[in-house]
Amino acid sequence: QVQLVESGGGSVQAGDSLTLSCAASGRTFSTYTMGWFRQAPGKEREFVGGIRWSGDRPYYADSAKGRFTISRDNAKNTVYLQMNSLKPEDTAVYYCAAKSDSRSLAYDYWGQGTQVTVSS
């Protein structure tokens, strides 16, 4: 069982940066692939990016490439989402998720989400 708690959300201006954190419980965190998702009001949840247990070669949705960076610290059981050059369309609730099978499309565990609001 893995429990995930996101933090770091808030209200910022367009062009600002923000870093989200996701703290995980459980001794097997280092073996999980972690993902970040977001859901804007009235829209479906969308994938932002992910990172495998090794931490190398994180991968991103097109909307995040070049502006967002995902990293993880397995010693701290934490995964991060650094967001630069934020735009109003980045406004959403951001969720982190974990899956034990990196090949699976489905994530096994989800956090409660943290709100990010970007004003123009």
Side-chain angles (χ1 to χ4, degrees):
Q1 186 80 6
V2 175
Q3 291 184 324
L4 305 172
V5 179
E6 301 96 335
S7 62
S11 296
V12 297
Q13 297 292 315
D16 285 351
S17 298
L18 201 61
T19 298
L20 306 182
S21 300
C22 173
S25 64
R27 292 176 292 177
T28 59
F29 168 79
S30 62
T31 66
Y32 281 78
T33 292
M34 302 299 295
W36 284 98
F37 293 76
R38 67 185 184 185
Q39 187 167 20
K43 295 187 177 181
E44 294 186 353
R45 185 170 58 196
E46 66 171 350
F47 175 74
V48 174
I51 187 167
R52 297 177 182 85
W53 67 271
S54 60
D56 62 339
R57 293 186 295 172
Y59 44 97
Y60 304 93
D62 287 344
S63 59
K65 287 179 181 177
R67 297 189 301 125
F68 293 4
T69 301
I70 296 174
S71 60
R72 67 189 294 164
D73 186 337
N74 288 338
K76 295 182 178 180
N77 278 13
T78 301
V79 63
Y80 304 96
L81 176 64
Q82 180 180 346
M83 303 183 291
N84 298 325
S85 302
L86 283 163
K87 306 174 182 180
E89 50 263 44
D90 295 318
T91 295
V93 177
Y94 284 72
Y95 300 89
C96 71
K99 60 181 178 179
S100 57
D101 184 352
S102 63
R103 298 164 297 178
S104 173
L105 294 177
Y107 282 76
D108 304 308
Y109 305 101
W110 293 82
Q112 83 290 347
T114 186
Q115 177 71 47
V116 173
T117 303
V118 184
S119 302
S120 58

